[in-house]
Amino acid sequence: MAEVKRLSCEEAVREFFAYLDRALAGDSLDALEAHLETCLDCCDRLDFSRSLDAFAKTRLDASPLPEGVADRIRRAIRG
């Protein structure tokens, strides 16, 4: 079995929304899951991202977000 790439916290956080949308697979998914097994900070951030994602999906219609909002949210999550 090939060694799983080790992600930094910054790299892991960048993958959260793809992970929540089930858009990660293969090595990317394996690397994120391996990181989450050992990093409590990222687990907390993922929980926050999951809550934010659920809130946004229930409160917003299918309209796109205003320009820049998604980037501001991502920067806030990365801390």
Side-chain angles (χ1 to χ4, degrees):
M1 178 186 249
E3 187 174 324
V4 174
K5 179 186 178 215
R6 296 181 62 105
L7 296 179
S8 67
C9 291
E10 184 178 318
E11 291 169 322
V13 169
R14 281 196 300 260
E15 300 288 358
F16 283 176
F17 288 104
Y19 178 77
L20 293 173
D21 289 339
R22 299 175 194 225
L24 283 183
D27 292 342
S28 296
L29 177 60
D30 293 342
L32 179 60
E33 289 179 339
H35 181 84
L36 291 170
E37 287 178 9
T38 61
C39 184
L40 294 177
D41 287 336
C42 283
C43 286
D44 288 344
R45 287 179 176 180
L46 179 60
D47 284 341
F48 175 79
S49 297
R50 185 176 283 120
S51 297
L52 179 62
D53 189 56
F55 174 80
K57 286 178 179 174
T58 60
R59 302 291 180 165
L60 300 174
D61 59 18
S63 302
L65 292 174
E67 187 173 329
V69 170
D71 290 333
R72 288 196 318 261
I73 291 170
R74 285 186 189 99
R75 280 194 303 270
I77 290 170
R78 288 181 189 137

